[in-house]
Amino acid sequence: MGQTAYATPLQIRQASAWQPSALDDDAVDLLYADAAAPRRADHGYVQAAIDLHPVDLHPVPDDTDPLFAPQATPRRQLPEPQEWLRQLSSAILECMSGVRPTNQVARWMTPRLHDRICRLNVIARRRGVTPVRCAVIRRVHICEPDDGIVEASVVVQYEGRIRAMAVRMIGMDGRWMVTALELG
């Protein structure tokens, strides 16, 4: 005759009280990047920018002729910062919300900042939510601490709220270049 098999009884154990620590912004960005990695080949993804040290805007070898290195530009050779910043702020916010491609603003920001905007653009496009209205720039307050350097605060109506954006720009190679940006 055949033997009868009995399953061992299920044992229920209490879960541990251990909880992981909260993730910071950089860790969350890495998780999003890892999650998107298998899909990059499907969408023709190319690395947004080379990650450089924030102090070095452009790496320049020691044997480079100084005339061919990035040149600081005095204020008198640059466009009016108030109107220029008004248009660029609107374009950056559109990039952050996934409406505009980030390569349209890449020329006017450091590679590290451009990479950050690219990540926000990818997250926004993945969510699939498009804003009902474009951002409205309410006010731009300019401060020029030195020749060719502008620090500004921009008051923005964005995603149904009034928000503040802090921007630092320097004159580089005949154009304004955004080196720091914070959106509150």
Side-chain angles (χ1 to χ4, degrees):
M1 296 197 128
Q3 295 180 344
T4 306
Y6 293 101
T8 58
L10 181 65
Q11 294 181 355
I12 299 176
R13 295 184 183 169
Q14 191 173 18
S16 67
W18 179 82
Q19 291 191 3
S21 60
L23 296 174
D24 61 348
D25 289 340
D26 292 334
V28 172
D29 289 342
L30 283 174
L31 287 174
Y32 273 112
D34 290 342
R39 292 185 222 127
R40 287 180 183 163
D42 299 339
H43 298 294
Y45 180 85
V46 178
Q47 180 178 349
I50 298 173
D51 195 15
L52 300 175
H53 192 275
V55 175
D56 299 330
L57 296 177
H58 303 282
V60 180
D62 293 334
D63 60 344
T64 301
D65 186 350
L67 294 175
F68 292 100
Q71 303 291 317
T73 304
R75 169 69 177 89
R76 68 183 180 280
Q77 296 177 358
L78 295 166
E80 182 60 37
Q82 184 133 3
E83 189 56 38
W84 189 88
L85 187 60
R86 183 177 290 274
Q87 293 176 3
L88 185 67
S89 299
S90 179
I92 289 172
L93 289 169
E94 288 173 7
C95 289
M96 291 169 71
S97 61
V99 175
R100 178 186 291 250
T102 58
N103 60 356
Q104 292 183 2
V105 295
R107 173 181 167 92
W108 294 285
M109 59 182 58
T110 60
R112 177 165 284 207
L113 183 59
H114 180 252
D115 187 44
R116 197 170 107 201
I117 301 295
C118 284
R119 281 188 246 146
L120 292 171
N121 182 283
V122 168
I123 292 169
R125 283 188 291 125
R126 192 175 301 141
R127 287 184 184 151
V129 178
T130 56
V132 176
R133 292 188 206 166
C134 294
V136 177
I137 309 300
R138 299 237 178 219
R139 287 190 194 101
V140 177
H141 299 281
I142 301 279
C143 173
E144 296 186 41
D146 200 3
D147 186 34
I149 297 175
V150 168
E151 293 176 348
S153 63
V154 182
V155 180
V156 178
Q157 184 174 351
Y158 177 62
E159 295 179 348
R161 297 182 355 200
I162 301 293
R163 302 176 85 173
M165 184 183 338
V167 180
R168 180 178 171 88
M169 302 184 305
I170 62 169
M172 183 69 61
D173 292 333
R175 65 180 183 267
W176 287 115
M177 180 172 286
V178 178
T179 59
L181 177 114
E182 289 295 325
L183 181 64

